[in-house]
Amino acid sequence: MSPRMKRCRYIIKTSWRVIDPVGDVQVDRYRIQSQPVRDLIVDYLRERQPSRDFASLDAVSRTLAGLFWARIEALAPGIDSLRLPPAVTRAWKEDLKVKKRTVTGPDGKNIEVSSPRLNAKDELMRVRAFYLDIAQWAAEEPARWGPWAVPCPISDDEIRKAKERKRRKARMDQRTRERLPVLPVLTSSADRRRRAAADLLQAAKNTEPGTLIPGTGGALRKAVAPTAAGHLIWAEETSGGRRRNLTYEEEEAFWAFAAIEVLRLTGIRNEELLELTHHSVTQYRLPSTGKVVPLLQIAPSKTDTERLVVVSPELADVLSAIISRLRGPDGAIPLVASYDVREKVWNPPMPLLFQRGIGSEHRTNAEGEPLTFSPHDFRRIFVTDAIMNGLPPHIAQVVCGHRSIDTTMGYKAVYPAETIEAHRAFIARRRTTRPTEEYRTLTEEEWDAFLAHFEKRKVSIGTCARAFGTPCIHEHACVRCSLLRPDPAQRARLADVRDNLIARIAEAEREGWLGEVEGLQVSLTGAQDKLAQLDTDAARRSTAVSLGMPTFGQIATRSENPTQLPDPMG
């Protein structure tokens, strides 16, 4: 079958799925044995269909037919009622907590690996909604739903997600903290890769087939490919003879760079990125000054609300490079019909910005080269960086298109430094509201006592770090104290103290002074801990790597013939 026929067959299949997205195929893939329960699930999904998109409805069918009833039948063969025995319910809930998958081990054999199911409570909520919906509908249509109305086997307490939300927030924050510091490295690497791929492709275009490509050190030769498509440039490695599609490599590098830059500079969703068109780039003229402000119009997606994002100079450069790349000989951007993976429909032809040619067709592409960053990571990083740099949270909420400010703050990762600064700001605010007599000028006696405290912190083997006005809790047995910061220059003295304690313990045991042995052991443990602390600090200093001062990521320069967009800075 030709590729064109396969594509037509795929369109017909997806069009049928839109007409009947929850038909036999969606439920029968799990081979449910009970025909009445199978028909019930299909009817339930069709009842919910008007208020759900295809992806959400498909997730519900996967839960009810696959994770719920197919596993119930495996635990209790022949069951045909929603009223589940308690033992079966308990076994199913325990099985749902674990996710199993088959992987290939080092020896080439398939092994089964188990891991916790992070969204187990989400699956329980779908099943609980299934039972409660049927119970409610039974009051409205007793003949249709009444026979299936039974008590729900999942209690309200089992779906509470307070702890899970905190853990999920912690995982999201950690993920953002890990990626935010290396974002400049990612952007600069993507830009260098794009430039290198473009330079290599241009050099190959100017090279005769069969000759070495300049700038590759003799590693690449332009391939002789008489049967290849005319717009493709191939090269082969001189060492192993492996062929490389330089046109494809340049496409991948450019669109990976473009997706990274647009996502990080706007904080939009992946779906919104796919729906950007040439018409999304608009402008607004300020009535007071006449200054032109470029704007990026974001189509409604998750929250069904449209919004505008101000185009920064860096974003204007990236959009200019994309538009210049897509323009045809007539100066217009090609119209392409994109496929909506959530609704399973083909959208009408539009001048999409993220489109690329594959064979003789034009298709949309969002992610480009697979990276360790997911598209949504850039959205979390955008929110975190914006709020950390002073953007009010309620403004960030509008920019990101969130219905609730709690969602916006959930995207923001909290750093320890922010906690310190917030505490200092709290102290400053409190001082403005407290009585002024509480902040009187210190007397000379009080100042002298304060200075004397810090003068007395110095001891023979280090520095005491106890707070001002607090007594010594160890009666000046400093070697036992966790607040002692040992001085590396006094390591020999600490070693002498340790050796002396060992000798005194041996003497006490020999003379039978058992009352002293316990106290000496505590001091010996403290001395050994201080020596270990000094050794650890010394090892860390010897293996330390200078990271240098943090710098901003390289800003992509304009292409040779960019489509000029209005500069928001005037």
Side-chain angles (χ1 to χ4, degrees):
M1 183 180 296
S2 66
R4 184 176 299 275
M5 290 296 295
K6 289 182 179 179
R7 180 174 182 271
C8 293
R9 183 179 178 183
Y10 177 71
I11 295 174
I12 294 172
K13 180 180 179 181
T14 54
S15 300
W16 173 82
R17 291 173 72 181
V18 172
I19 296 173
D20 187 14
V22 290
D24 298 345
V25 175
Q26 303 304 107
V27 176
D28 289 347
R29 55 185 171 178
Y30 299 105
R31 301 179 181 178
I32 294 177
Q33 300 299 318
S34 175
Q35 187 67 25
V37 175
R38 177 261 180 203
D39 296 339
L40 172 68
I41 294 176
V42 172
D43 289 344
Y44 174 79
L45 294 174
R46 285 177 177 164
E47 195 74 18
R48 298 294 304 273
Q49 179 179 350
S51 61
R52 298 267 184 157
D53 61 13
F54 183 89
S56 301
L57 207 61
D58 186 65
V60 175
S61 68
R62 184 171 58 251
T63 299
L64 297 181
L67 293 178
F68 174 52
W69 196 254
R71 298 197 177 189
I72 290 295
E73 289 186 336
L75 295 170
I79 189 171
D80 59 357
S81 172
L82 295 184
R83 190 183 296 272
L84 306 179
V88 175
T89 303
R90 287 193 298 269
W92 170 71
K93 292 177 182 177
E94 289 298 322
D95 182 62
L96 187 65
K97 294 179 181 178
V98 179
K99 181 172 60 177
K100 299 179 180 179
R101 56 193 179 94
T102 302
V103 299
T104 304
D107 56 354
K109 296 182 179 179
N110 292 334
I111 56 176
E112 189 176 66
V113 179
S114 300
S115 60
R117 188 183 299 276
L118 299 180
N119 66 334
K121 290 197 174 182
D122 293 330
E123 308 295 350
L124 288 176
M125 290 176 65
R126 292 194 183 110
V127 177
R128 178 175 168 82
F130 174 62
Y131 274 85
L132 297 184
D133 286 342
I134 291 178
Q136 181 179 353
W137 297 345
E140 303 171 359
E141 299 182 67
R144 181 182 180 188
W145 304 104
W148 297 101
V150 296
C152 180
I154 302 171
S155 65
D156 186 58
D157 293 337
E158 292 179 287
I159 60 173
R160 297 188 186 275
K161 300 179 62 177
K163 292 183 178 179
E164 284 70 16
R165 289 193 184 99
K166 292 180 180 179
R167 292 169 183 167
R168 181 174 180 269
K169 179 66 167 61
R171 292 196 303 269
M172 289 169 53
D173 288 353
Q174 182 61 24
R175 187 178 179 92
T176 302
R177 293 191 196 103
E178 292 173 351
R179 284 158 178 75
L180 183 56
V182 301
L183 182 60
V185 178
L186 174 67
T187 55
S188 60
S189 300
D191 188 36
R192 287 196 303 269
R193 179 171 174 263
R194 170 184 69 101
R195 295 177 182 277
D199 293 342
L200 179 59
L201 179 62
Q202 186 60 43
K205 287 181 179 179
N206 300 330
T207 303
E208 292 295 328
T211 60
L212 296 177
I213 301 177
T216 62
L220 287 178
R221 177 188 295 107
K222 186 172 182 179
V224 180
T227 60
H231 67 285
L232 299 180
I233 304 297
W234 289 82
E236 60 183 11
E237 298 176 353
T238 55
S239 58
R242 185 175 69 92
R243 286 200 170 190
R244 292 169 52 182
N245 187 341
L246 301 185
T247 305
Y248 174 80
E249 291 180 4
E250 193 275 337
E251 288 269 346
E252 289 287 293
F254 176 83
W255 289 113
F257 160 80
I260 290 171
E261 290 296 309
V262 174
L263 287 171
R264 79 174 184 91
L265 293 172
T266 61
I268 61 177
R269 301 179 179 90
N270 189 32
E271 180 184 0
E272 295 167 344
L273 177 79
L274 287 170
E275 295 176 352
L276 289 179
T277 69
H278 194 193
H279 302 308
S280 300
V281 184
T282 183
Q283 61 185 22
Y284 174 71
R285 187 177 297 274
L286 299 177
S288 57
T289 62
K291 181 180 178 181
V292 175
V293 179
L295 301 171
L296 189 64
Q297 187 177 22
I298 308 301
S301 60
K302 186 175 182 179
T303 57
D304 290 331
T305 55
E306 189 178 36
R307 63 188 190 277
L308 294 172
V309 176
V310 177
V311 177
S312 64
E314 297 89 343
L315 180 59
D317 288 338
V318 177
L319 295 177
S320 297
I322 293 174
I323 294 173
S324 300
R325 184 185 187 89
L326 295 178
R327 284 191 186 277
D330 57 352
I333 293 182
L335 304 179
V336 297
S338 62
Y339 184 65
D340 191 329
V341 296
R342 298 189 64 85
E343 297 291 349
K344 303 299 180 184
V345 296
W346 287 90
N347 296 320
M350 295 181 293
L352 296 172
L353 294 185
F354 281 82
Q355 59 172 276
R356 55 184 299 189
I358 300 179
S360 59
E361 302 175 6
H362 281 79
R363 304 179 185 176
T364 58
N365 177 60
E367 297 180 12
E369 186 74 8
L371 299 171
T372 56
F373 282 68
S374 71
H376 218 69
D377 285 329
F378 295 102
R379 185 169 172 83
R380 296 191 185 100
I381 290 173
F382 175 83
V383 174
T384 299
D385 190 55
I387 296 180
M388 286 179 61
N389 285 281
L391 184 69
H394 67 283
I395 301 299
Q397 174 192 352
V398 176
V399 172
C400 293
H402 289 150
R403 290 178 178 173
S404 170
I405 195 171
D406 293 335
T407 304
T408 306
M409 296 308 295
Y411 275 53
K412 176 185 174 292
V414 178
Y415 287 77
E418 295 178 71
T419 306
I420 298 173
E421 293 300 326
H423 178 71
R424 294 176 61 183
F426 165 74
I427 296 297
R429 289 194 303 271
R430 188 178 67 174
R431 285 183 175 177
T432 61
T433 59
R434 300 290 292 180
T436 55
E437 58 268 17
E438 294 189 7
Y439 301 101
R440 57 182 174 79
T441 304
L442 293 175
T443 64
E444 291 187 4
E445 291 78 9
E446 290 171 334
W447 181 247
D448 291 340
F450 179 74
L451 295 179
H453 164 77
F454 289 95
E455 291 175 355
K456 294 176 181 178
R457 293 201 310 169
K458 185 67 177 176
V459 295
S460 62
I461 53 177
T463 304
C464 178
R466 74 178 187 272
F468 172 70
T470 58
C472 178
I473 60 176
H474 292 294
E475 298 181 354
H476 303 285
C478 298
V479 74
R480 300 182 178 186
C481 185
S482 60
L483 296 177
L484 174 68
R485 296 175 181 173
D487 184 358
Q490 302 300 326
R491 192 187 189 286
R493 182 185 294 271
L494 263 176
D496 292 341
V497 171
R498 178 199 58 192
D499 296 341
N500 179 264
L501 287 169
I502 293 175
R504 290 178 61 187
I505 291 173
E507 179 186 10
E509 292 175 343
R510 183 175 61 254
E511 299 294 336
W513 303 334
L514 302 182
E516 291 189 12
V517 172
E518 184 177 356
L520 293 173
Q521 285 285 4
V522 174
S523 298
L524 177 61
T525 302
Q528 292 173 336
D529 290 342
K530 299 298 182 294
L531 287 170
Q533 181 180 344
L534 288 176
D535 294 341
T536 301
D537 292 342
R540 185 174 66 249
R541 292 191 185 98
S542 64
T543 59
V545 178
S546 176
L547 299 178
M549 292 297 294
T551 59
F552 293 100
Q554 299 179 1
I555 299 176
T557 58
R558 296 183 183 274
S559 57
E560 295 182 359
N561 296 307
T563 300
Q564 296 294 335
L565 294 176
D567 190 343
M569 306 304 295

